[in-house]
Amino acid sequence: MSHHGSQPRSGLRLMHVHAHPDDESSKGAASTAMYVAQGVDVHVVTCTGGERGSILNPKMDRPDILANITEIRRQEMERARDILGVTQDWLGFVDSGWPEGDPKPPLPEGCFALVPLEEAAAPLVRLIREQRPHVVTTYDERGGYPHPDHIKCHQVSVAAFEAAGDPERYPDLGEPWQPLKLYYHHGFNRPKTQAIHDAMLAHGLESPYVERLQDWKPEPEWDARITTRVPCSEYFGVRDQALLAHATQIDPDGMWFAVPREIQEEVWPTEDFELVVSHVPSELPESDLFAGITDPA
């Protein structure tokens, strides 16, 4: 671990905006842990409490856990936060759930996805002005996957990134602060999934991605949106520990852990992002979310 005096990046601030507790551990967690080790101040914002998340780990699927899911997910988040070394705030909205059925049922009243955008962005504007991040990350316009909370998280993040620096907007929510760069996560891209799938087969192992790849239409123009690949494979183990902290959501025997870490490190040692807005000059492609930020205030 880095000792005092070897923290080259202290003074830099990074904010990740996520929909539910566990998203911070399943998306960008290795680069998060790496930046923390380098002295970056990393702040996670969690839009909802994950109240409607199903219990995805069979070992945790018990009535006592379901009865206390909100509190348990808060405790899991605290453990993950400690493992990653981040600070974190809850925006306080209520999980919208994953609508099941055809046609899909209406979203539950009062849930995050139904809050008007102007109102939903307000607490994030306040946090951006308080925390003063240089870089903000969130999901792409599809939400990474089309969960209503992920799409809303994208919309809220983009709106707040723009509004936070504008003294005319939300004038009572603190001194304006304009973050310098906005990124979208591209963690589940097809080329990465294909590369890991191929490597599993080459090593004579069973790939967890057979069905997913069959149904996943290649979209080269979408994949070409990745601008920034951050090498962080030595922190994949920290990422895995943070994931396991979300015990109700992550099955240790499930797909997340089906691929040996050695294969992941060899085949795809980066976490991948798309630079969407930059107020500093930066040459693409990048290997660092702070590329171009030379003298942070």
Side-chain angles (χ1 to χ4, degrees):
M1 289 304 289
S2 58
H3 51 86
H4 252 23
S6 69
Q7 296 212 314
R9 319 298 297 267
S10 64
L12 290 172
R13 297 183 294 277
L14 172 60
M15 178 181 279
H16 295 308
V17 188
H18 285 293
H20 306 108
D22 75 48
D23 288 322
E24 82 297 325
S25 298
S26 61
K27 297 159 198 69
S31 53
T32 291
M34 178 188 76
Y35 283 126
V36 167
Q38 293 172 358
V40 175
D41 178 354
V42 184
H43 192 76
V44 168
V45 178
T46 314
C47 294
T48 77
E51 299 83 356
R52 288 195 168 91
S54 329
I55 293 179
L56 302 175
N57 176 359
K59 296 181 192 64
M60 299 290 285
D61 199 355
R62 310 198 304 264
D64 54 316
I65 288 189
L66 201 53
N68 297 300
I69 190 71
T70 303
E71 182 49 38
I72 285 167
R73 295 207 67 182
R74 287 187 96 88
Q75 290 168 3
E76 291 176 341
M77 183 72 215
E78 281 168 24
R79 282 201 290 279
R81 201 159 75 187
D82 291 348
I83 290 164
L84 292 173
V86 300
T87 52
Q88 184 246 356
D89 271 293
W90 304 90
L91 281 196
F93 294 106
V94 176
D95 191 337
S96 306
W98 175 255
E100 305 231 33
D102 191 18
K104 290 193 189 317
L107 290 167
E109 210 173 314
C111 72
F112 179 47
L114 296 179
V115 177
L117 187 55
E118 188 78 3
E119 186 188 324
L124 183 55
V125 169
R126 183 196 295 270
L127 275 176
I128 289 174
R129 288 175 178 175
E130 276 172 18
Q131 299 286 332
R132 299 162 47 133
H134 301 105
V135 174
V136 175
T137 77
T138 189
Y139 313 137
D140 61 61
E141 66 275 18
R142 297 176 179 177
Y145 79 116
H147 189 296
D149 286 335
H150 283 245
I151 292 169
K152 186 67 161 205
C153 176
H154 156 80
Q155 294 165 348
V156 161
S157 303
V158 171
F161 182 90
E162 281 178 19
D166 182 347
E168 310 281 297
R169 308 276 313 276
Y170 303 98
D172 49 343
L173 296 187
E175 283 293 301
W177 174 261
Q178 181 54 64
L180 299 174
K181 298 172 92 178
L182 175 66
Y183 286 94
Y184 297 160
H185 287 273
H186 280 269
F188 297 112
N189 56 75
R190 198 178 188 287
K192 171 183 179 175
T193 308
Q194 184 72 54
I196 290 176
H197 168 84
D198 295 344
M200 290 290 278
L201 300 184
H203 284 80
L205 297 166
E206 208 174 309
S207 163
Y209 300 126
V210 179
E211 283 167 28
R212 181 176 286 197
L213 283 166
Q214 278 168 356
D215 303 337
W216 196 343
K217 192 169 100 280
E219 287 182 281
E221 66 293 341
W222 181 270
D223 302 326
R225 287 172 47 167
I226 293 173
T227 57
T228 309
R229 299 177 189 276
V230 181
C232 53
S233 58
E234 65 206 84
Y235 291 90
F236 284 177
V238 184
R239 171 203 66 191
D240 290 349
Q241 292 306 309
L243 271 170
L244 288 167
H246 291 285
T248 57
Q249 298 299 296
I250 304 290
D251 181 357
D253 305 320
M255 185 192 80
W256 285 106
F257 299 100
V259 179
R261 199 183 306 150
E262 295 76 5
I263 288 185
Q264 296 177 39
E265 288 173 4
E266 182 192 326
V267 175
W268 211 274
T270 61
E271 287 178 339
D272 307 327
F273 300 84
E274 172 187 357
L275 177 60
V276 187
V277 181
S278 185
H279 297 294
V280 293
S282 177
E283 275 184 42
L284 303 182
E286 301 171 321
S287 59
D288 175 22
L289 299 178
F290 294 97
I293 300 177
T294 43
D295 194 17

